[in-house]
Amino acid sequence: MEWPGEFPKDHAFVELLIPGVSSDMDFEQFLKDTEEKLSLNASSIEQHLKELQAKLGDSRTGDRPPSPTEVLQWFNMRAQNTLKPLSTDLLDFFRALQQYLKSEEEGKEEVTLQLLLNLSAQCGVRFPCSSSSSSLHPNLPGSSVHTIHMVKDDSSLEEAWDAVRLQLRRFLVARLSYYTSGHPPGSPQISTLTILERVHYLQQLFFLYPECEVLTDYQGLKQQYVLSILHSSMSSSPGGETGFDRVAMGFCNMVQHVTRALTEELQVLLRVAEPQVVLGLLNVAYFGAVTQELTSQMEREFETAQRDNTALSSKIKKYSARSRATVAPMELPLKSRSFSLTSHQLRALTQLACVLLGFERDVRELITNSTFINCTGDTPTLKGILKKPKEDSSSTTDGKKPTADKLHTPEAQTLEFNWRSAFSRLVPHMEHCVKVVLDDVCAKNLQQEEALHSSGHTLVTLSLIADFSVSNKHLKEDFFYKDSERDAPKMTAKFCGAILTELDALLPLAVACRDISLLGVRSSFVEACSRAAFAMLGRLQERALEVPSSAPLKNLPALLASCIYVQQRLEHYNVMLKDSSTASAKISLTLLPIQRCHEIVEALRQQLTSYCIQVCLTCILQDAESHDWADPKPFYEGERCSFSLQMWFYFLCGLRSDLWAVLPSELAKDVLGYVLAETLQLLVRRYSRVRASYKRHLQIRCDITAVLLYVEHLMWSVSETAEDVILINPSSEITIIGGGSDWPYQIHSLCDQLLTVLLVVTAPISFVHRTFMNSASKDSAPRQLERPVVRWLNAINPDLFTEQVIRDGVMGEAALACQLKLLTSDPGCSPKLLLGMLLHEDCHLPRILLENSYFCQETDSEMSTENYKAGDDFIVALFNLFSCLNNVPKALTQALQPYLEKAHIWKYLYTLADTTQKAPVVIDCIRTLVTKSTNSILVHLVSLALAWQSTEECSKAALFKRKVPESVLAKIPKDWNYGAPDGRGKDTTSKTVISLAIQALSFIFTNLPLAVASLPLSIRFLFQMAEKHLSQHARQLRSMGLLLWALLGCLIQGLEDLDALEKISGLALDCGAKDYLSLLRECLQAAMSIQHKGIPKPTVQKVLQALEEKRPKWINMQLQKARKLCAESIFEQGTDRGAAAAELTEQKIGLMLLEVCHKAGGCVYLRQIYHIIQGNEELLMSKLNGSRDSPDLSVNFDVSPESANHTACFNPLLQFDHIGKKRLDQSEVVDWTWDWPRLLPAYEGMSQVTFRSLVANRWDMQEDAELEDGERAMVEELQKVFFVCCCGAGPQDASRTDETPTNQTQGEAQPCDKSTAQ
């Protein structure tokens, strides 16, 4: 971009908008614009420097302009050491000023200051600003610099100048005091005019006095202001609190006012001083004042508590109902054994510490962001700075320089928060109180639990984890850390939760006590925490030992969840109490309780899994009646499967319900998978050895069929992905060999073995003979079957698990149905699975929900208000979720497409800036994102307007030259050649307004591409699609497109709504700034060719004409550049990143999930969508399966988490004869149709050892079997081929194989040939 040389101030700004994670084109455009802006800024600086060179060169050197280095040296005060004698009438000039300042004329101080500044700037005079009168020598470098010449013995000149600047100093300090105390605490806005004027007054003081002296006085002024805020906050307690409660509430009120004042102060000081100097001033004026007031208040309350608590303990009063009882006196020296803190006082001190910790954290972040000095870490607290708070108080009451020699030095770079020293006198009392309170809470809750247990309640009393949260909002926000939802238990024992809640409440106090003098409190907390942890773990172990003798199995998952919760809280305490930056404060929680928790967790898990397996092996699966395989009579007339298998599945469903309710999701699935795999091994051993009679051999087929149906249902609960349900991962075998666990792999393997038993043992002899005799004749050497193919799912459910699905995986809507079943079978919300399911097949699932909701259906039935509101919340959740996914920019439009078209949302995008019309909720979401992009521009425009107005106001002081009395002007030394310039009038002001408007318009259109780049790609794609539906507005949108139309419209609306503009900028606007912004709005409307009401102002036409003359067609170029980012970046995203939307790998979904979770509320939106999917599972399944049975179903958005979870609860009466929600018809299992010609050939290559072992157990292979001639011939032929070498080997006694199951490991039980060859 080329800028005319005569227009240098119209350069762009670098620091405005930083685009988010977008396309490569966005970043290229951002870097290109940044480079251009830097170049323009450099050119502007160089041109201004040349102008300054020319001016100073003409007036000083006369022969050549000085170099840039020499120009910069003019501003170096230390280099100004060359003096030149001046006229002797300087004393008369100072006396004339002194006499003028004594007059009653209004504005005399401003006139005098402006006159001195003009003399310094125009005539090269530098008036002295030293603090001592002996060094009163004004000077400037160079041969042309005028200086003040004095006779050494003449002190009258010194006195005259001191008198002049002293009166000016009083005036400026009074103004600074006004602006310092002019804003009452709680003022909602920070006036930029106030900030600029304060900066102006400070700079004028720097003109008169040394910087160190000025900042010292200003520091004292600010310290008094902060103390006034503190006193006001302490005296305005609304609840009438007393004691430490009053202190905590007062400082809680103080934080917001001091933080606001500190924010304003940084904007002032950073304009006039170095960051290191600013930190030194803040340490004394703000943080030192806070420490001083806190120390004073704590001393007062200490004396009060010492008097009151001593009286209470002397009377030995009882504990009150509010737990405010006095703690028993501790063993201390006589001098310290004065009183004891109450538990209520300890909580108040904890709240106070938490408030101050939050204040310290916020201040560190604020200063880090403002000064670019890293203050976010826990820097060491410098000792000795505020050891004597009383002395500090006395030294700053008069506003003079407290610790000024240390503050205004470059070395003062550390924030000094010394408020912890105010707690030092309470350390022994807090130590004792922490110990007694925590021990008392622990003992009381353990006693209550013991009393409840002794009364006959064998079940562990549980409570939700969410119920145990601290009541104080500061504690909950800063210290109640929560683990991820899938890693945290859902419930815990009530007594554990109550004890840990008390530990959570006192944690901030222990964290705050990191100084050496306070370490006793932290040590006391750590010791009490360890005692409480061991007490809780001991009680959990006791209750675990009662299972199963006197307590139910349901207690074990609850106890395991409680122990995990204790372990996670202790680990969090350990992290919070570690202080790496303070070597003396490394008193963290000992690892012994955490290690003990880990050991008990493993022991309880082992006890739970081993007990469940033993119950199945020794009780549930032992059924003499159904396992009497030699019985010549059929089992229940051959109409049902074994009772033991039905009860086995019933037990596993109940176990799943117990695990799902309390344990972390991953652990619950792991435990269920382990129990299922171990019990399946027994069933494989049993049915691979059974030799049944003719009447009982069909029971084997029925039992294995039922087992496969049961396992198919449970597989959804132990698998992570659809691939785990269907395919065997080749790496799973390596995982198991390496000592890991992969339950889907093991379960698939065991079910394949059961299917092998079913096919070989129960298939008709004709199919077995035909298949395996042909195989033997073709190749005498058996071929090993390739293991990775899973046939049992294809055999039990060939419609869903087709051969193609088994070979290639699930595709299309079938994959979506599998993911939905996985999601609803999971113990909790799986974010990665949910996100992948929402993006699958171009967001097919969200579209189904919207198509079958009231958004797209015309129904006569009335909807509840709650459902309407829940529907809008669902739209907001979808929008906020998909709008941040820049990797799939089309997802937002695809997901909302039915809603966008049915509700005609496109038309609202054209009038997006119009906030008066009622629009759908999605329009509000889009408007929020677009206005967020324009707000950065608006805030800068407001600052630009206010800065210009402040400059104009300050420049009006130049008019005071006319008001300077002739008596003063006549005394100005003649050799200074001072002359008052002529006034400028209205034409100059008009030119300035036009120039500023051009500058603002240039700023807007320069940063327009960046404003577009800051919008998510999904929003840009949505506008691109909407533009195709708005053909009626094609003429208006031809030059800029819909997105730029909406963005500029929102910018115009922002300039029109001045109240909202003040709110978003936090800046107060007066009439002058409002008029300027109104002019800018009209200029922007004219640039967009929007018709005005009436005739445009001449100033608007002058602005646009001047801009067009300076830069022909530049606005159109910027619009095209921005529009290019609205369209081409979308296609670039899809081209360069491949099939990101079509093939969403697990890694891509994981990265997108991180992007969602890092966004505010991202996890909440995912959980909200999850509950709606969970509550409408039946409708979604019917639509995905192509069912037309339920056309009248409509999506219910008003789904609470409780009602959604209720559908997954275990119903003992219903689950007894159901698989999931479907009733299990025993006759269907018995008459299950098996496709023998398709299934048997797949096993031709099985091991001969396995085949011989299984075929020998067939009923027709027995010697006394009654067979027809054809059947006998086939049996004899099989015996000749496969039993040549083992003709004499009799079959094993099948009746004994089930009674003594062998103890085999998982690896030994998987292959059938190893178990059957024994």
Side-chain angles (χ1 to χ4, degrees):
M1 92 184 56
E2 294 296 334
W3 294 78
E6 58 191 293
F7 212 52
K9 292 184 179 180
D10 213 8
H11 61 275
F13 297 85
V14 181
E15 74 283 0
L16 178 65
L17 290 173
I18 303 296
V21 179
S22 299
S23 67
D24 295 337
M25 181 177 291
D26 294 334
F27 286 113
E28 290 176 3
Q29 184 64 46
F30 171 69
L31 294 175
K32 184 178 179 182
D33 288 347
T34 303
E35 185 178 358
E36 290 180 352
K37 291 175 183 179
L38 290 172
S39 177
L40 291 172
N41 286 332
S43 301
S44 178
I45 294 173
E46 184 178 356
Q47 185 166 348
H48 280 86
L49 193 58
K50 288 181 180 178
E51 293 177 358
L52 188 60
Q53 282 180 332
K55 290 180 181 179
L56 295 177
D58 292 341
S59 61
R60 297 168 186 243
T61 61
D63 51 355
R64 64 171 182 85
S67 66
T69 304
E70 293 174 341
V71 173
L72 294 177
Q73 287 295 324
W74 295 340
F75 303 100
N76 185 357
M77 304 296 292
R78 298 179 181 178
Q80 300 171 2
N81 51 13
T82 304
L83 305 180
K84 180 180 178 180
L86 285 181
S87 175
T88 57
D89 57 356
L90 185 60
L91 178 60
D92 296 335
F93 172 64
F94 283 160
R95 286 177 177 175
L97 287 178
Q98 186 178 359
Q99 191 67 27
Y100 173 57
L101 289 173
K102 291 180 180 180
S103 67
E104 299 296 331
E105 186 173 347
E106 183 180 357
K108 54 184 180 296
E109 291 86 359
E110 290 95 334
V111 172
T112 303
L113 282 168
Q114 191 61 43
L115 176 61
L116 294 175
L117 289 171
N118 289 339
L119 288 171
S120 177
Q122 183 177 346
C123 303
V125 178
R126 186 177 73 85
F127 293 93
C129 63
S130 58
S131 57
S132 69
S133 57
S134 61
S135 59
L136 192 62
H137 295 281
N139 52 74
L140 272 179
S143 58
S144 64
V145 177
H146 301 284
T147 62
I148 299 177
H149 172 72
M150 296 186 308
V151 181
K152 293 182 180 180
D153 298 333
D154 189 5
S155 61
S156 57
L157 181 62
E158 178 182 344
E159 294 175 357
W161 172 243
D162 283 343
V164 170
R165 65 174 183 169
L166 179 60
Q167 188 163 349
L168 294 177
R169 172 180 178 174
R170 289 172 181 170
F171 166 76
L172 294 174
V173 170
R175 286 300 182 97
L176 286 175
S177 300
Y178 169 77
Y179 286 114
T180 296
S181 58
H183 297 286
S187 178
Q189 293 178 342
I190 299 174
S191 174
T192 300
L193 276 178
T194 302
I195 293 174
L196 293 175
E197 289 179 8
R198 284 162 62 182
V199 170
H200 180 64
Y201 293 142
L202 283 174
Q203 289 173 342
Q204 288 180 330
L205 280 173
F206 291 162
F207 176 74
L208 301 174
Y209 290 93
E211 177 181 342
C212 181
E213 183 176 345
V214 172
L215 290 179
T216 299
D217 291 340
Y218 187 70
Q219 170 184 280
L221 200 65
K222 296 305 298 183
Q223 188 173 25
Q224 293 302 316
Y225 172 58
V226 174
L227 288 174
S228 67
I229 292 179
L230 293 172
H231 294 157
S232 175
S233 300
M234 295 302 301
S235 61
S236 61
S237 179
E241 289 84 358
T242 59
F244 293 112
D245 289 312
R246 182 184 65 86
V247 180
M249 185 59 64
F251 274 84
C252 184
N253 297 332
M254 170 275 301
V255 164
Q256 54 180 336
H257 303 317
V258 174
T259 304
R260 185 181 293 112
L262 186 62
T263 304
E264 183 177 355
E265 199 62 55
L266 283 170
Q267 298 184 52
V268 174
L269 292 176
L270 290 176
R271 296 170 187 252
V272 297
E274 293 295 326
Q276 295 83 357
V277 177
V278 173
L279 291 186
L281 188 146
L282 296 180
N283 282 336
V284 175
Y286 281 83
F287 313 134
V290 170
T291 302
Q292 175 184 333
E293 179 64 20
L294 179 63
T295 303
S296 174
Q297 295 292 334
M298 293 292 284
E299 289 284 346
R300 182 186 307 170
E301 297 304 331
F302 178 84
E303 300 296 336
T304 304
Q306 186 177 23
R307 181 180 64 253
D308 297 342
N309 293 9
T310 303
L312 285 175
S313 51
S314 64
K315 297 178 181 179
I316 318 178
K317 292 190 174 183
K318 298 181 180 180
Y319 290 116
S320 67
R322 294 180 60 192
S323 298
R324 297 172 67 105
T326 304
V327 176
M330 52 188 166
E331 293 300 328
L332 290 173
L334 293 177
K335 187 168 64 174
S336 303
R337 197 187 307 169
S338 56
F339 75 99
S340 301
L341 288 174
T342 66
S343 60
H344 184 80
Q345 289 172 332
L346 186 66
R347 286 182 177 274
L349 290 172
T350 302
Q351 182 179 0
L352 175 61
C354 190
V355 169
L356 293 171
L357 283 173
F359 171 67
E360 181 177 334
R361 177 202 59 197
D362 295 340
V363 167
R364 289 186 188 279
E365 292 179 358
L366 174 63
I367 295 180
T368 298
N369 296 332
S370 302
T371 63
F372 302 102
I373 297 176
N374 186 14
C375 301
T376 55
D378 290 333
T379 54
T381 303
L382 299 181
K383 306 301 175 185
I385 296 178
L386 290 172
K387 285 184 178 179
K388 299 179 181 179
K390 293 184 179 179
E391 295 179 8
D392 291 344
S393 175
S394 62
S395 64
T396 57
T397 54
D398 57 352
K400 297 300 178 183
K401 31 187 173 181
T403 62
D405 54 338
K406 191 176 183 72
L407 287 172
H408 308 305
T409 57
E411 289 77 10
Q413 300 182 16
T414 303
L415 292 180
E416 300 168 8
F417 294 97
N418 297 287
W419 54 266
R420 292 173 178 83
S421 61
F423 290 81
S424 56
R425 287 194 65 184
L426 288 169
V427 167
H429 313 284
M430 289 191 297
E431 285 183 38
H432 178 67
C433 192
V434 166
K435 172 183 177 298
V436 174
V437 167
L438 293 180
D439 290 348
D440 178 67
V441 168
C442 182
K444 182 175 67 175
N445 282 278
L446 290 175
Q447 289 173 3
Q448 291 177 354
E449 193 276 339
E450 180 63 32
L452 187 65
H453 181 267
S454 302
S455 63
H457 290 79
T458 56
L459 276 175
V460 175
T461 305
L462 295 174
S463 295
L464 291 172
I465 298 294
D467 295 341
F468 298 109
S469 59
V470 289
S471 58
N472 186 282
K473 62 180 181 181
H474 300 285
L475 302 182
K476 183 175 182 180
E477 178 183 358
D478 295 331
F479 293 95
F480 196 74
Y481 170 79
K482 291 184 178 180
D483 295 276
S484 64
E485 186 176 350
R486 296 188 65 81
D487 296 332
K490 303 176 180 65
M491 304 185 79
T492 184
K494 188 175 181 179
F495 74 94
C496 290
I499 296 173
L500 291 171
T501 300
E502 191 68 26
L503 291 172
D504 285 337
L506 295 181
L507 177 63
L509 185 62
V511 173
C513 295
R514 70 179 188 182
D515 289 356
I516 296 178
S517 59
L518 306 178
L519 290 183
V521 180
R522 177 177 290 196
S523 178
S524 180
F525 176 84
V526 168
E527 293 173 2
C529 184
S530 298
R531 287 193 298 271
F534 282 118
M536 287 185 290
L537 294 176
R539 183 59 55 87
L540 293 175
Q541 278 187 301
E542 291 178 14
R543 297 294 173 254
L545 294 176
E546 297 174 358
V547 180
S549 58
S550 59
L553 170 64
K554 194 173 183 179
N555 278 6
L556 284 181
L559 296 172
L560 178 57
S562 302
C563 193
I564 293 174
Y565 183 60
V566 173
Q567 178 182 350
Q568 290 178 349
R569 297 309 302 152
L570 292 180
E571 290 174 346
H572 173 59
Y573 298 160
N574 188 42
V575 172
M576 292 295 294
L577 293 175
K578 280 185 177 179
D579 194 350
S580 58
S581 62
T582 308
S584 60
K586 292 185 177 179
I587 298 182
S588 59
L589 191 65
T590 175
L591 297 179
L592 187 59
I594 300 177
Q595 182 180 358
R596 184 61 179 156
C597 281
H598 181 72
E599 294 173 355
I600 296 178
V601 165
E602 292 299 321
L604 289 177
R605 176 178 176 176
Q606 180 64 27
Q607 181 182 357
L608 174 61
T609 54
S610 61
Y611 176 73
C612 292
I613 294 170
Q614 284 301 114
V615 166
C616 292
L617 296 183
T618 61
C619 182
I620 295 178
L621 292 177
Q622 298 302 323
D623 182 8
E625 181 182 3
S626 59
H627 297 163
D628 187 6
W629 304 108
D631 190 352
K633 298 179 180 179
F635 178 69
Y636 270 75
E637 303 300 328
E639 296 179 354
R640 61 166 295 114
C641 67
S642 300
F643 286 117
S644 60
L645 296 179
Q646 191 172 358
M647 295 308 300
W648 168 70
F649 177 66
Y650 182 77
F651 171 79
L652 291 178
C653 290
L655 176 63
R656 177 180 61 179
S657 177
D658 293 342
L659 298 176
W660 267 219
V662 296
L663 288 181
S665 299
E666 299 302 329
L667 179 61
K669 298 175 74 168
D670 194 60
V671 170
L672 181 63
Y674 181 78
V675 174
L676 177 59
E678 289 293 322
T679 51
L680 269 178
Q681 289 189 39
L682 172 66
L683 297 178
V684 170
R685 291 195 298 268
R686 167 179 294 176
Y687 290 102
S688 63
R689 299 175 183 178
V690 166
R691 174 167 288 187
S693 64
Y694 170 70
K695 295 292 186 180
R696 286 290 182 110
H697 87 282
L698 292 179
Q699 184 189 347
I700 299 176
R701 183 189 302 173
C702 180
D703 284 357
I704 294 179
T705 303
V707 169
L708 295 181
L709 290 174
Y710 293 149
V711 175
E712 180 200 2
H713 174 74
L714 294 174
M715 275 295 295
W716 301 100
S717 298
V718 299
S719 300
E720 294 289 340
T721 63
E723 288 74 15
D724 292 338
V725 178
I726 299 168
L727 302 175
I728 287 184
N729 187 358
S731 62
S732 300
E733 197 164 0
I734 302 175
T735 302
I736 296 175
I737 294 174
S741 60
D742 192 329
W743 308 126
Y745 174 86
Q746 298 185 38
I747 293 169
H748 280 312
S749 178
L750 293 169
C751 288
D752 274 340
Q753 296 174 38
L754 282 175
L755 179 62
T756 304
V757 173
L758 181 144
L759 293 175
V760 176
V761 176
T762 67
I765 188 64
S766 58
F767 291 102
V768 175
H769 176 270
R770 182 188 312 132
T771 301
F772 291 98
M773 288 303 296
N774 291 338
S775 175
S777 62
K778 290 178 182 178
D779 188 1
S780 59
R783 291 176 285 109
Q784 185 67 28
L785 181 66
E786 293 184 1
R787 181 173 288 273
V789 180
V790 182
R791 296 185 179 85
W792 71 277
L793 284 173
N794 171 250
I796 200 69
N797 193 352
D799 295 332
L800 177 60
F801 304 104
T802 62
E803 292 183 3
Q804 182 179 0
V805 168
I806 298 299
R807 183 176 60 253
D808 302 330
V810 190
M811 307 293 289
E813 291 191 357
L816 197 55
C818 289
Q819 291 177 347
L820 178 60
K821 198 166 184 179
L822 277 173
L823 184 71
T824 55
S825 301
D826 197 85
C829 175
S830 176
K832 184 180 293 187
L833 178 62
L834 175 60
L835 184 59
M837 187 171 64
L838 291 173
L839 293 172
H840 187 75
E841 291 289 322
D842 296 333
C843 307
H844 185 55
L845 189 69
R847 292 206 306 269
I848 293 178
L849 287 171
L850 292 175
E851 289 171 354
N852 294 275
S853 67
Y854 71 87
F855 290 113
C856 301
Q857 290 181 346
E858 298 179 359
T859 58
D860 298 332
S861 59
E862 296 184 359
M863 302 286 293
S864 64
T865 307
E866 292 77 11
N867 198 40
Y868 277 117
K869 183 179 183 305
D872 288 343
D873 294 340
F874 176 69
I875 293 293
V876 173
L878 284 179
F879 179 87
N880 289 320
L881 175 65
F882 288 113
S883 62
C884 64
L885 300 180
N886 282 316
N887 288 322
V888 278
K890 299 181 180 180
L892 175 63
T893 306
Q894 292 170 341
L896 298 177
Q897 185 176 3
Y899 170 63
L900 296 173
E901 295 180 352
K902 187 69 177 179
H904 305 289
I905 302 298
W906 313 112
K907 64 180 182 180
Y908 293 99
L909 294 177
Y910 182 76
T911 58
L912 185 68
D914 187 3
T915 57
T916 59
Q917 64 174 346
K918 185 178 180 181
V921 65
V922 70
I923 295 298
D924 295 334
C925 297
I926 298 173
R927 185 186 293 119
T928 301
L929 275 179
V930 175
T931 54
K932 183 180 179 182
S933 178
T934 59
N935 283 347
S936 300
I937 298 178
L938 288 172
V939 170
H940 197 89
L941 292 176
V942 171
S943 301
L944 187 65
L946 292 173
W948 165 77
Q949 187 180 1
S950 177
T951 304
E952 288 297 312
E953 292 294 333
C954 294
S955 65
K956 289 179 182 178
L959 300 178
F960 284 136
K961 300 183 185 71
R962 304 183 208 169
K963 300 180 182 179
V964 177
E966 290 296 332
S967 60
V968 175
L969 292 175
K971 298 298 181 181
I972 297 177
K974 303 302 181 182
D975 52 354
W976 287 3
N977 298 323
Y978 174 74
D982 298 332
R984 292 189 181 182
K986 294 184 178 179
D987 293 338
T988 304
T989 304
S990 176
K991 292 180 180 179
T992 304
V993 172
I994 294 175
S995 175
L996 189 65
I998 294 175
Q999 184 178 353
L1001 283 179
S1002 301
F1003 172 79
I1004 292 173
F1005 287 102
T1006 298
N1007 291 279
L1008 193 59
L1010 285 180
V1012 173
S1014 67
L1015 290 172
L1017 286 174
S1018 54
I1019 298 298
R1020 285 183 258 173
F1021 185 83
L1022 176 65
F1023 275 92
Q1024 185 191 32
M1025 293 295 103
E1027 193 171 341
K1028 298 178 181 179
H1029 292 79
L1030 298 174
S1031 57
Q1032 67 273 23
H1033 301 293
R1035 184 178 60 85
Q1036 294 89 338
L1037 302 178
R1038 185 180 299 112
S1039 61
M1040 63 184 66
L1042 180 61
L1043 178 57
L1044 291 177
W1045 176 271
L1047 197 147
L1048 291 173
C1050 290
L1051 193 60
I1052 293 172
Q1053 177 64 28
L1055 291 171
E1056 184 176 1
D1057 191 354
L1058 298 176
D1059 294 336
L1061 198 58
E1062 288 184 341
K1063 184 177 180 181
I1064 63 174
S1065 63
L1067 308 174
L1069 300 174
D1070 58 2
C1071 294
K1074 291 178 180 179
D1075 293 341
Y1076 167 72
L1077 293 175
S1078 177
L1079 173 64
L1080 183 59
R1081 173 177 57 83
E1082 295 179 8
C1083 292
L1084 197 56
Q1085 287 176 331
M1088 291 178 61
S1089 301
I1090 297 178
Q1091 296 296 329
H1092 293 272
K1093 293 181 180 179
I1095 302 175
K1097 296 180 180 179
T1099 307
V1100 174
Q1101 297 177 350
K1102 290 181 180 179
V1103 169
L1104 296 180
Q1105 183 178 358
L1107 183 60
E1108 182 65 22
E1109 291 176 356
K1110 302 292 183 182
R1111 306 152 123 188
K1113 299 183 180 180
W1114 178 77
I1115 292 180
N1116 289 332
M1117 292 170 56
Q1118 290 299 110
L1119 289 175
Q1120 293 305 317
K1121 184 188 299 184
R1123 190 175 186 182
K1124 186 178 180 182
L1125 296 176
C1126 298
E1128 294 187 12
S1129 59
I1130 305 297
F1131 300 114
E1132 175 216 358
Q1133 191 79 3
T1135 304
D1136 292 351
R1137 303 193 182 183
E1143 184 183 355
L1144 292 171
T1145 63
E1146 185 175 354
Q1147 183 180 7
K1148 292 177 182 177
I1149 294 176
L1151 293 175
M1152 287 189 285
L1153 182 61
L1154 286 176
E1155 191 176 358
V1156 171
C1157 294
H1158 288 166
K1159 182 180 179 180
C1163 296
V1164 177
Y1165 298 135
L1166 276 175
R1167 197 177 302 112
Q1168 181 181 350
I1169 297 171
Y1170 165 74
H1171 290 311
I1172 291 175
I1173 292 175
Q1174 196 177 23
N1176 295 275
E1177 179 187 3
E1178 182 180 354
L1179 182 146
L1180 291 172
M1181 276 297 183
S1182 64
K1183 297 298 180 181
L1184 291 174
N1185 294 330
S1187 174
R1188 304 294 181 184
D1189 299 337
S1190 55
D1192 298 332
L1193 285 178
S1194 180
V1195 174
N1196 178 26
F1197 293 112
D1198 188 17
V1199 180
S1200 63
E1202 294 77 13
S1203 60
N1205 293 331
H1206 180 72
T1207 58
C1209 293
F1210 178 73
N1211 186 344
L1213 298 178
L1214 178 68
Q1215 195 63 48
F1216 180 77
D1217 58 352
H1218 280 68
I1219 298 181
K1221 296 181 180 180
K1222 295 182 180 179
R1223 182 181 178 86
L1224 177 64
D1225 191 347
Q1226 293 286 343
S1227 62
E1228 292 183 4
V1229 178
V1230 173
D1231 300 332
W1232 196 271
T1233 302
W1234 292 96
D1235 191 357
W1236 308 112
R1238 182 179 67 87
L1239 296 174
L1240 281 171
Y1243 289 83
E1244 290 179 344
M1246 72 184 327
S1247 168
Q1248 285 196 9
V1249 176
T1250 303
F1251 178 74
R1252 282 198 298 267
S1253 301
L1254 293 177
V1255 79
N1257 293 334
R1258 291 180 58 89
W1259 71 272
D1260 43 20
M1261 297 295 288
Q1262 301 177 22
E1263 296 181 358
D1264 56 347
E1266 298 181 0
L1267 302 173
E1268 296 180 358
D1269 294 340
E1271 294 175 340
R1272 186 173 299 280
M1274 287 185 284
V1275 168
E1276 290 177 353
E1277 191 171 353
L1278 285 171
Q1279 289 177 342
K1280 289 179 181 179
V1281 173
F1282 293 100
F1283 295 94
V1284 174
C1285 299
C1286 52
C1287 296
Q1292 298 177 356
D1293 187 3
S1295 63
R1296 298 181 181 179
T1297 56
D1298 292 334
E1299 305 302 327
T1300 58
T1302 58
N1303 295 326
Q1304 293 175 305
T1305 63
Q1306 298 174 9
E1308 295 171 344
Q1310 289 169 4
C1312 290
D1313 53 351
K1314 292 184 181 180
S1315 60
T1316 56
Q1318 297 175 352

